[in-house]
Amino acid sequence: MTVITDALCPFCGCTCDDITVVVEDNKIMEVKNACKIGVAKIKGHHRIKAPMMRTDKKGEFKEVSYDEAIEAASKILAGSTRPLLYGWASALCEVHKKGILLAEELGAIIDNTATVCHAPSTLAVHEKGLPSATLGQVKNRADLVVFWGSNPVHAHPRHMGRYSVFAKGFFNEKGRRGRKVIVVDVRKTDTAAMADEYIQLQQGSDYLVISALRAILAGQAAVVPDVVGGVPKEQLVKLVDTLKAAKFGAVFFGMGLTQSISRYKNIDNAISLITELNAFTKYVITPMRGHYNVTGFGNVCAWETGYGTAVDFARGAPYYNPGETAANDVLLRKETDAAMIIAGDAGAHFPADSVRQLARIPVIQIDPYWNPTTEVANVVIPVAICGVEVEGTAYRMDGVSLRYRKMIEPTHPTDVEILEKITERVRKIRGD
Amino acid sequence: MELLIKNGAVYDPKNGIKGDKTDISIKDGKIVKSVSSSAKIIDAGGRLVMAGGVDGHSHIAGAKVNVGRLMRPEDTRIGIKPRTKITRPQTGYTVPNVYAMGYRYAQMGYTTVFEAAQAIMKARHTHEELEEIPIIDKGALTLFGSNWPTMDFVREKDMDKLAAYVAWGLLASRGYGVKVVNPGGGEMWGYGKNVTGLDDVVPSFDVTPREIIVSLMKANEMLGLPHSVHLHCNNLGKPGNYKTTLASMELANQVKASKDRQVLHVTHATFNAWGGTNWGDFESKADEIANYVNNCDNVTIDMGQLIWGSATTMTADGPVQYANAKLLHAKWGNGDVELEDASGVVPIFYVKQISVHAIMWAIGLELALLTKDPYKVLLTTDHPNGGPFVNYPEVIALLMSNKKRQEEIKTVHEAVHKRTKIPGIDRELDFNDIAIMTRTGSAKVLGLLDTKGHLGVGADADIAIYDIKPDQIDPSVEHAKVKSAFQSAAYTIKGGEVVVKDGQITATPVGRTYWVDASVPQEHTDIMMKDIRHKFKNYYSIGLANYMVQDAYVTHPKVVKAGISAGVN
Amino acid sequence: MTLKVNLITGRTIDQGVTIENKTSSDYQNATAYCELNSNDVGKVGKPGNNIKIKTEHGEVVVKLKENNGNPDGLAFIPMGPWANALVDPDTKGCGMPGFKGIPAQIDATNEKILLMKELIARYK
Ligand code: SF4
Ligand SMILES: [Zn+2]
């Protein structure tokens, strides 16, 4: 029996690094400190045993060898004129590097799960930057925490305990009692139920409400209507006073902002609000990143290509224009003629029309688990689980880079091994 | 592998060679006395030969650089080059991708570059990028100036603990030296505030910037680190800050150097040599700074030269970046790091007709030209704060040609006439001066002069050959030729391998990462670690066990030993 | 009666717990449902009943659940293949489909909830 301490949880963007894992006979017997999602992720479930292939997507899969599957995958990719390499967020940075190299070789589009999560936040960062901080800064200093369109009780279960609401720190020894918590959302979530103040907006009116707050902050309350997005003006005026009174305010936003009607403009506006609040007191804003290493993909992709995701290598050099080059755009336009889905589940998390296009074209899946993407795949290559069976790098939601430990020996090849082989084969097939 | 460079007009200041035809023998990546007759021969044909360039202050890797990329797709879109058989794609101008960083430095004949600031907590990220920068040797300076342990130990006046912390912090970050940015200000910025001078007290820690600087210089010398404390002064970016800069430089007198180098390096002095009280009466005080440097032997500076056009300011000086963003109405990236420091990223465009920019442009040149000894003033642009490093050849040409400067002065805001001395300075640097400012001096300041910045036996075979014949050119007149030669080396040789020929990348070997392993008595470390453990238990948001940069992130290390028990001091 | 709602989709903890186990009934239980407040629930049936939701982009059968945190007229389905049968694929030129704020209609139904496999089979 071995006990691994200070292990990292490979599920959500909190990347908790205080996990204890008890291992016996290469099996994880016990997971301590993780939340219920983390425990499920680390313990795992029954896996895809061996590579599988089929030509008819309505037909049954046939088990094949890794070599056969890699050969088939390489042929599909090498023969494609507009391949899409999508997923990545549940894999380590070492995998991302191999993926970007493969995309270069293929002239492919590479995009990651941020495309249905926080890619709009990056668009806002292009316009306004991002005044942010590491989570420990919040833990030590924040006396006001705002969750806007985010629901950590469900999506980031230990965020409040480790970093934000309950965490005790140097300037805040009292933890929860030392800070005020405000939740802004469209329905009273479990997070909202714990807040000191809950502000309920009409769905889709975040942009309006943020604009009203900015107007009030700028001393222009007179132009604000009596009710904005379902919120009475008095409540907004009071909220601005509360925001200004904090010594250190931290705003955490989620898909309530990125996925509703105004998309990235919501965040653009929110960042402006935070920037303006800094004229009065200290404020930071942080996106609640979903997958544990979605932030890592954005970082690796940025330092290797200059752009964070949705990078099109068709020109031999990186090109980026989400709306044109993001995964759902190229699928909806039926441009994509082959796809490799790795460490992300487009089948489950893309709109039906995008999945329909995946069902029309050859699809390679690289993943430990059977999921909706498997249902539309032609070649399925099961791999080891990053962060449990494979060590390597991931970036927490605040950009802190951490090294994941290996908890048990893998029973399958790693993503890196598979990608290296595919890349090598693709080069040979293409004759360079 | 053996290589012989024949017929070069060699400028090797350390070895007193000034343009003489000297052959250089190379074996196994090093410069040797002689090689066998089977050595491959490169005939330099009388062209200019120097050691590979050494850059002691540039922002090439890590969190702020990547924030710059993510904030600035408009910058990434500049300088795009598709992949080739040898090279990966290149993007960006002020914030190039990792590949372009390595290729472009190599194309200018540079072979060693130091990233100027990494927070320990974010060092893993820095190294991830450094690992992917091809060709060049590199390293990173580690931030210590607002770290809570630093301030605690300074307050306690416990130099043993402070030195132990610096040694441990360098190990934890795989860092090469001690960087201090707006000391105390990083902590103050945690609550949106700043220090305004050397004697402001940092609340809750009860220390002053003065005490932090002096104590870190002492710890640096106790440890006998190869490089000195590398200081980004307080009040950077504020008119009138030259007084703070001078007062900071004077602090070096309180500390004795442990090695043959400065005690204090004051970086990107362009941003710290400002007179006046506001943007209206803003003026150059470069002469005062240069005068101080001329009359002391324990302080060096680098230029931080301003380059017209697009730049991306990025620094651990969080408050200055907030002020910049407000002043410029520009997008603002901020990245406080818990218990350690602040940081900010703001794009800027330097315009010839803006008086402040014109004066800043002049300040950099004044600093270089008024400082008599080129060993005391390194050529930098504080990439990409003053402008991208690819503009070094422009700076070289400006320093070598008064004619070029006078032509340029005609096109910039008239303020340079009244508020700087640049129009009246007719000094023109020669190739020897340039070799010092771009390699020999930088290597000396960094404490790398044994193997870098020169061409003597035992040096690394990092060499640049430029397509000009020093005896046939008048740089004062033919400055355009000088500039284009330095932009695109005829040959760059890195570790004995030709990596650039005729300005084109020919090979992309992996460079090494320099870091300093400084030893201290174990009992000092033990006592210091008690405090560190307390901080991790209570204040850091990650565990101590996951803090230090692992070996996996420094796959080609070059470890420089230092420390107290190593008997260096 | 047909209930007109504004549909949003999003994460839940059970969706997270079962996300790597999408062939399981646990995953279906965690994601193939729609939450309405009790007032709205009463208009289309009882908690636990099956309902059919239609949008401009598709239709799907899920289980009805009560959540009184929802205001009137707001429906929530956990993210996943059932929800995504309904969402707006248009990225409005910025890469992000419309996962929240989709006009939808809800009716009681006797049809059964498709298994994940059956649901995806509709796209082939
Ligand atoms: S909060 Fe996130 S990272 Fe932490 S244990 Fe839970 S799922 Fe894992
Ligand atoms: Zn700098």
Side-chain angles (χ1 to χ4, degrees):
Chain A
M1 199 184 82
T2 26
V3 178
I4 304 165
T5 55
D6 303 294
L8 291 99
C9 170
F11 186 78
C12 87
C14 287
T15 68
C16 300
D17 74 328
D18 61 343
I19 314 295
T20 297
V21 177
V22 181
V23 177
E24 214 177 307
D25 289 338
N26 206 39
K27 266 184 127 163
I28 292 168
M29 309 305 290
E30 205 185 332
V31 179
K32 290 182 211 163
N33 295 343
C35 72
K36 125 184 193 195
I37 309 182
V39 172
K41 168 84 201 222
I42 294 167
K43 284 199 164 164
H45 302 276
H46 47 274
R47 310 266 287 273
I48 301 174
K49 279 209 265 342
M52 313 182 292
M53 275 166 47
R54 62 182 172 186
T55 27
D56 177 6
K57 296 204 195 217
K58 291 184 180 164
E60 294 296 310
F61 279 111
K62 204 178 110 225
E63 281 196 4
V64 296
S65 70
Y66 274 96
D67 284 348
E68 285 171 275
I70 286 164
E71 180 66 20
S74 308
K75 277 198 178 132
I76 290 170
L77 292 171
S80 160
T81 51
R82 194 77 170 135
L84 168 68
L85 312 183
Y86 172 79
W88 308 107
S90 299
L92 298 162
C93 295
E94 290 73 11
V95 181
H96 303 159
K97 293 171 193 171
K98 299 292 173 194
I100 291 166
L101 181 61
L102 178 60
E104 264 179 51
E105 295 283 345
L106 291 165
I109 286 178
I110 188 163
D111 198 7
N112 87 117
T113 61
T115 201
V116 287
C117 200
H118 273 288
S121 308
T122 306
L123 285 172
V125 170
H126 297 339
E127 298 203 346
K128 295 285 167 66
L130 190 71
S132 197
T134 63
L135 294 169
Q137 190 79 326
V138 175
K139 157 184 155 129
N140 284 310
R141 295 181 202 265
D143 56 348
L144 177 70
V145 176
V146 180
F147 293 103
W148 194 309
S150 65
N151 186 5
V153 169
H154 282 267
H156 300 87
R158 297 183 71 213
H159 189 280
M160 296 194 293
R162 275 173 64 80
Y163 311 123
S164 52
V165 175
F166 302 102
K168 292 180 180 164
F170 186 81
F171 297 99
N172 177 6
E173 290 168 353
K174 289 189 280 189
R176 178 68 181 92
R177 281 181 298 126
R179 47 176 77 94
K180 196 170 167 100
V181 178
I182 297 172
V183 170
V184 185
D185 214 317
V186 300
R187 59 187 195 121
K188 192 160 186 185
T189 61
D190 291 334
T191 305
M194 300 171 63
D196 297 303
E197 189 175 349
Y198 168 53
I199 294 166
Q200 184 164 303
L201 319 176
Q202 260 161 23
Q203 200 278 328
S205 64
D206 306 79
Y207 189 89
L208 285 177
V209 173
I210 296 166
S211 300
L213 293 173
R214 290 180 63 193
I216 296 163
L217 186 68
Q220 303 295 327
V223 303
V224 175
D226 292 342
V227 179
V228 182
V231 189
K233 179 175 176 177
E234 308 86 82
Q235 199 179 0
L236 294 173
V237 170
K238 216 186 98 223
L239 176 60
V240 168
D241 288 340
T242 309
L243 292 173
K244 280 163 72 175
K247 281 179 73 188
F248 185 113
V251 177
F252 295 97
F253 66 98
M255 293 186 287
L257 288 188
T258 65
Q259 293 184 335
S260 50
I261 184 72
S262 308
R263 312 277 207 292
Y264 76 97
K265 279 290 171 190
N266 288 327
I267 298 127
D268 180 318
N269 214 6
I271 294 170
S272 294
L273 172 65
I274 295 311
T275 302
E276 288 154 10
L277 276 166
N278 270 280
F280 299 89
T281 180
K282 182 70 185 257
Y283 266 84
V284 297
I285 181 166
T286 304
M288 295 286 262
R289 307 302 302 266
H291 289 83
Y292 76 99
N293 201 22
V294 69
T295 309
F297 184 88
N299 271 294
V300 175
C301 199
W303 76 60
E304 291 199 346
T305 75
Y307 305 117
T309 193
V311 179
D312 181 356
F313 281 102
R315 296 154 175 83
Y319 171 81
Y320 161 81
N321 187 21
E324 182 190 348
T325 59
N328 281 288
D329 295 296
V330 282
L331 286 169
L332 291 171
R333 285 201 310 269
K334 302 193 172 77
E335 260 173 52
T336 305
D337 62 350
M340 186 178 92
I341 313 290
I342 172 168
D345 184 3
H349 297 131
F350 278 7
D353 277 354
S354 299
V355 185
R356 276 189 194 99
Q357 176 62 7
L358 288 172
R360 283 183 205 111
I361 60 172
V363 170
I364 301 145
Q365 182 190 28
I366 302 178
D367 205 282
Y369 295 112
W370 193 302
N371 60 33
T373 299
T374 321
E375 299 295 333
V376 294
N378 299 85
V379 181
V380 178
I381 306 178
V383 284
I385 299 175
C386 284
V388 177
E389 300 170 337
V390 188
E391 67 175 330
T393 321
Y395 285 67
R396 197 166 70 180
M397 62 168 69
D398 56 349
V400 171
S401 149
L402 291 159
R403 184 160 188 84
Y404 275 65
R405 285 155 206 275
K406 186 199 261 192
M407 303 171 188
I408 51 173
E409 287 303 318
T411 47
H412 294 71
T414 64
D415 298 274
V416 164
E417 286 161 358
I418 300 294
L419 289 173
E420 279 176 347
K421 285 189 176 155
I422 291 177
T423 306
E424 196 183 311
R425 254 330 268 154
V426 162
R427 271 187 197 142
K428 285 233 172 73
I429 295 169
R430 294 202 155 183
D432 38 58
Chain B
M1 227 215 43
E2 293 183 324
L3 194 62
L4 179 65
I5 301 172
K6 287 179 86 86
N7 297 322
V10 174
Y11 280 86
D12 184 10
K14 185 189 176 211
N15 298 299
I17 303 172
K18 294 190 182 176
D20 307 337
K21 293 271 181 317
T22 312
D23 291 352
I24 300 165
S25 303
I26 297 160
K27 192 178 174 181
D28 299 333
K30 289 276 182 187
I31 294 174
V32 293
K33 262 208 189 82
S34 60
V35 283
S36 69
S37 55
S38 62
K40 202 186 141 214
I41 292 172
I42 292 175
D43 187 348
R47 289 178 293 181
L48 175 65
V49 176
M50 291 181 180
V54 178
D55 192 344
H57 189 114
S58 182
H59 299 277
I60 55 170
K64 345 176 249 341
V65 181
N66 228 25
V67 165
R69 295 183 186 111
L70 285 166
M71 269 173 69
R72 300 204 67 189
E74 75 279 14
D75 188 84
T76 294
R77 289 183 191 112
I78 309 168
I80 289 183
K81 279 205 177 133
R83 70 200 299 258
T84 68
K85 292 247 186 256
I86 299 166
T87 56
R88 304 278 301 261
Q90 300 186 45
T91 60
Y93 172 59
T94 70
V95 279
N97 64 341
V98 282
Y99 311 118
M101 292 278 187
Y103 304 151
R104 292 177 192 171
Y105 263 114
Q107 283 167 320
M108 296 193 309
Y110 272 69
T111 48
T112 307
V113 182
F114 279 76
E115 160 59 46
Q118 59 171 351
I120 304 173
M121 193 176 180
K122 292 207 164 171
R124 202 170 353 260
H125 179 167
T126 309
H127 286 284
E128 278 222 277
E129 291 194 29
L130 288 178
E131 284 279 300
E132 288 206 58
I133 296 178
I135 303 174
I136 57 174
D137 285 342
K138 57 253 164 177
L141 306 181
T142 303
L143 292 160
F144 285 99
S146 280
N147 304 36
W148 291 5
T150 298
M151 293 190 292
D152 284 346
F153 303 149
V154 169
R155 184 189 56 250
E156 293 164 13
K157 299 196 175 14
D158 192 330
M159 288 307 299
D160 289 340
K161 273 205 229 173
L162 182 61
Y165 175 62
V166 168
W168 180 79
L170 290 176
L171 172 69
S173 61
R174 296 294 199 271
Y176 182 77
V178 176
K179 178 76 182 295
V180 181
V181 172
N182 184 20
E187 165 54 28
M188 300 277 288
W189 183 241
Y191 279 121
K193 304 205 160 50
N194 197 1
V195 289
T196 61
L198 288 174
D199 296 310
D200 281 11
V201 176
V202 181
S204 306
F205 291 91
D206 200 21
V207 290
T208 63
R210 178 189 302 277
E211 291 161 349
I212 296 171
I213 297 168
V214 171
S215 304
L216 282 171
M217 284 192 294
K218 285 183 179 160
N220 197 96
E221 300 314 310
M222 277 169 72
L223 292 167
L225 300 181
H227 185 34
S228 69
V229 161
H230 193 115
L231 176 67
H232 160 134
C233 291
N234 298 104
N235 283 332
L236 182 140
K238 292 183 204 156
N241 63 16
Y242 80 102
K243 286 185 190 149
T244 307
T245 308
L246 290 174
S248 303
M249 288 172 156
E250 278 174 24
L251 299 177
N253 293 330
Q254 299 182 30
V255 183
K256 204 172 133 305
S258 62
K259 312 190 111 67
D260 177 24
R261 55 141 171 77
Q262 74 288 353
V263 177
L264 179 65
H265 180 78
V266 170
T267 190
H268 40 66
T270 286
F271 296 87
N272 295 77
W274 295 4
T277 56
N278 59 51
W279 300 118
D281 63 6
F282 181 80
E283 62 177 343
S284 167
K285 288 287 181 186
D287 52 344
E288 302 256 1
I289 302 295
N291 188 40
Y292 184 91
V293 173
N294 285 336
N295 290 299
C296 79
D297 58 3
N298 53 9
V299 178
T300 54
I301 59 174
D302 64 82
M303 295 167 71
Q305 176 62 34
L306 179 144
I307 302 294
W308 306 121
S310 182
T312 302
T313 63
M314 52 177 67
T315 166
D317 198 336
V320 88
Q321 290 298 61
Y322 172 67
N324 269 339
K326 257 185 112 165
L327 184 73
L328 300 164
H329 303 283
K331 43 191 172 187
W332 174 42
N334 180 73
D336 297 3
V337 181
E338 63 205 61
L339 289 85
E340 295 183 8
D341 220 314
S343 117
V345 180
V346 179
I348 193 168
F349 201 95
Y350 294 119
V351 180
K352 287 185 176 184
Q353 288 307 322
I354 292 178
S355 63
V356 171
H357 295 176
I359 293 165
M360 284 173 65
W361 172 82
I363 290 175
L365 298 172
E366 287 180 285
L367 288 165
L369 296 165
L370 296 174
T371 302
K372 289 178 191 144
D373 178 357
Y375 275 102
K376 290 181 176 172
V377 52
L378 309 182
L379 192 156
T380 67
T381 58
D382 188 16
H383 164 88
N385 286 282
F389 65 81
V390 291
N391 295 288
Y392 289 175
E394 164 76 7
V395 183
I396 291 171
L398 284 165
L399 295 176
M400 295 187 82
S401 169
N402 185 33
K403 186 164 175 283
K404 178 175 168 76
R405 291 199 297 271
Q406 296 304 332
E407 282 163 10
E408 193 72 8
I409 285 166
K410 283 186 207 139
T411 70
V412 310
H413 193 280
E414 59 180 12
V416 293
H417 289 280
K418 280 182 235 135
R419 303 206 223 136
T420 84
K421 305 222 155 42
I422 200 68
I425 301 174
D426 57 10
R427 183 176 172 203
E428 292 182 331
L429 302 187
D430 61 20
F431 287 116
N432 195 61
D433 298 326
I434 296 298
I436 293 167
M437 291 178 71
T438 57
R439 40 269 283 166
T440 316
S442 341
K444 175 146 196 261
V445 165
L446 287 164
L448 286 173
L449 198 51
D450 52 343
T451 54
K452 298 287 186 193
H454 74 101
L455 295 168
V457 170
D460 289 348
D462 299 349
I463 301 162
I465 306 179
Y466 297 107
D467 196 10
I468 24 176
K469 295 180 181 165
D471 56 355
Q472 291 173 24
I473 192 168
D474 179 358
S476 177
V477 182
E478 295 167 278
H479 52 78
K481 269 193 191 164
V482 170
K483 179 174 167 183
S484 87
F486 278 103
Q487 276 171 332
S488 165
Y491 283 91
T492 303
I493 294 160
K494 167 70 182 40
E497 183 177 1
V498 176
V499 293
V500 172
K501 186 165 185 298
D502 300 329
Q504 301 300 312
I505 301 291
T506 54
T508 59
V510 182
R512 292 172 301 175
T513 298
Y514 280 73
W515 67 275
V516 171
D517 183 7
S519 54
V520 297
Q522 186 59 41
E523 59 268 30
H524 297 175
T525 302
D526 292 344
I527 299 173
M528 180 273 300
M529 285 309 290
K530 270 192 200 155
D531 292 52
I532 298 293
R533 272 191 289 275
H534 174 81
K535 291 202 164 48
F536 275 90
K537 188 157 171 279
N538 297 290
Y539 309 132
Y540 269 107
S541 65
I542 63 173
L544 176 56
N546 293 313
Y547 184 67
M548 298 185 107
V549 173
Q550 294 85 351
D551 289 340
Y553 299 95
V554 192
T555 56
H556 295 74
K558 169 74 186 165
V559 185
V560 179
K561 295 272 182 196
I564 295 169
S565 46
V568 179
N569 200 19
Chain C
M1 71 172 269
T2 298
L3 176 67
K4 290 199 168 168
V5 293
N6 179 17
L7 170 67
I8 60 170
T9 68
R11 288 186 193 283
T12 73
I13 192 156
D14 290 328
Q15 171 263 339
V17 168
T18 55
I19 194 166
E20 302 283 32
N21 201 5
K22 295 198 187 92
T23 54
S24 68
S25 55
D26 288 352
Y27 182 62
Q28 178 169 330
N29 293 337
T31 54
Y33 67 80
C34 174
E35 286 179 351
L36 298 172
N37 70 21
S38 50
N39 185 32
D40 284 340
V41 164
K43 293 175 186 163
V44 284
K46 279 198 231 121
N49 289 1
N50 285 359
I51 49 167
K52 181 182 266 188
I53 313 187
K54 279 188 206 165
T55 69
E56 208 187 305
H57 317 287
E59 57 177 62
V60 76
V61 176
V62 294
K63 205 175 274 302
L64 184 56
K65 266 200 186 181
E66 188 178 282
N67 183 336
N68 284 321
N70 286 18
D72 286 342
L74 189 82
F76 172 85
I77 307 181
M79 63 188 269
W82 287 273
N84 286 336
L86 303 168
V87 301
D88 182 356
D90 189 353
T91 78
K92 304 272 194 290
C94 77
M96 170 65 88
F99 290 105
K100 295 188 199 285
I102 312 128
Q105 303 182 18
I106 301 183
D107 287 288
T109 186
N110 292 322
E111 289 177 38
K112 72 172 187 78
I113 299 169
L114 294 178
L115 297 173
M116 181 275 277
K117 262 178 185 299
E118 297 165 338
L119 186 68
I120 305 295
R122 297 200 302 188
Y123 305 141
K124 298 197 221 178

